[in-house]
């Protein structure tokens, strides 16, 4: 690269750095909302499906209702904001994002940013499928009695901590780490691989390939996988 090209690159990097710093110091506006799905509404629920660009936090609860809390923090100006939608359809609870365009003529202009978070409290009695897909944001599951857990993240980390293995777990991360904490005394069938990262299993003696109802499959393209006891 010539001197002119190097100078141009340095200017671009300085502008990006300064822009990021300015955005960081812009005032933040946070809005919160909550949606409760009653025990009657979820009596026949067969799946909880979350799909969008938001941080996901899952916890279990003694409550018979599903409680969804949505938080949005915005700095500066973003032309295309995200909206959050939650509904039950065909016995599936959907939580997803959609793009709200404020002004089509300025749809490409951004001087700010927003962060979306979804916190869901799921009854301990719910045992059906839990499916989560998040593009750039983190997934965190703290206990779940679901017999079928599926997680996919394109560019972030996934953390799962379970007091009990209730069924199959399938986790895939493209550019992020997978951290799975399991009971120290439970056996499970394991398949774990990372193309460019490391796989660390501190529960090697718990792996039993003959088990058919507790299959754990972890895969990452460029991230580390860690399995440990709790």
């Amino acid at each position: 690269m010539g001197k002119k090209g190097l100078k141009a690159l340095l200017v671009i990097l300085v502008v990006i750095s300064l822009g990021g710093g300015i955005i960081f110091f812009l005032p933040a506006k946070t809005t919160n909302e909550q949606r409760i799905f009653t025990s009657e509404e979820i009596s026949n629920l067969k799946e909880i499906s979350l799909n969008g660009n938001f941080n996901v936090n899952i916890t279990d609860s003694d409550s018979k209702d599903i409680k969804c809390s949505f938080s949005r923090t915005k700095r500066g100006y973003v032309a295309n904001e995200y909206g959050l939608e939650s509904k039950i359809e065909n016995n599936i609870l959907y939580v997803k994002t959609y793009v709200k365009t404020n002004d089509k003529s300025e749809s490409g202009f951004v001087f700010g940013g927003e962060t979306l978070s979804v916190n869901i409290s799921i009854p301990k009695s719910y045992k059906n499928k839990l499916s989560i897909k998040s593009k750039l944001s983190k997934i965190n599951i703290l206990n779940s009695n679901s017999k079928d857990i599926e997680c996919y993240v394109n560019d972030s980390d996934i953390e799962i901590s379970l007091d009990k293995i209730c069924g199959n777990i399938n986790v895939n991360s493209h550019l992020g780490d997978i951290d799975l904490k399991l009971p120290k005394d439970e056996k499970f069938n394991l398949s774990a691989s990372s193309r460019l990262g490391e796989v660390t299993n501190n529960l090697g003696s718990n792996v039993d390939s003959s088990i058919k109802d507790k299959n754990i499959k972890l895969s990452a393209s460029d991230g580390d996988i860690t399995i440990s006891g709790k």
Side-chain angles (χ1 to χ4, degrees), residues 130-181:
L130 175 61
S131 173
I132 306 174
K133 294 181 180 179
S134 185
K135 295 178 182 178
L136 301 173
S137 301
K138 189 174 182 179
I139 294 175
N140 182 34
I141 300 176
L142 180 59
N143 287 326
S144 171
N145 290 328
S146 296
K147 295 180 180 178
D148 187 3
I149 298 176
E150 292 185 357
C151 298
Y152 174 80
V153 162
N154 186 54
D155 189 7
S156 193
D157 299 333
I158 301 173
E159 293 185 7
I160 301 176
S161 179
L162 303 176
D163 287 338
K164 182 180 179 181
I165 306 173
C166 297
N168 299 325
I169 302 171
N170 193 336
V171 179
N172 182 278
S173 176
H174 181 58
L175 294 174
D177 297 334
I178 300 172
D179 186 1
L180 180 62
K181 292 183 173 63

Side-chain angles (χ1 to χ4, degrees), residues 23-34:
I23 292 172
F24 178 79
F25 287 105
L26 289 174
K29 180 182 180 181
T30 300
T31 57
N32 299 285
E33 58 181 292
Q34 186 179 67

Side-chain angles (χ1 to χ4, degrees), residues 89-133:
E89 193 173 82
N90 298 323
N91 292 324
I92 299 176
L93 169 57
Y94 293 99
V95 179
K96 59 184 180 180
T97 56
Y98 62 93
V99 177
K100 298 191 299 183
T101 304
N102 293 335
D103 188 341
K104 292 183 178 179
S105 65
E106 298 181 351
S107 60
F109 175 73
V110 176
F111 189 70
E114 65 177 342
T115 302
L116 300 177
S117 297
V118 176
N119 301 311
I120 299 187
S121 176
I122 300 175
K124 292 179 180 179
S125 58
Y126 178 78
K127 300 182 183 300
N128 293 328
K129 186 174 183 178
L130 175 61
S131 173
I132 306 174
K133 294 181 180 179

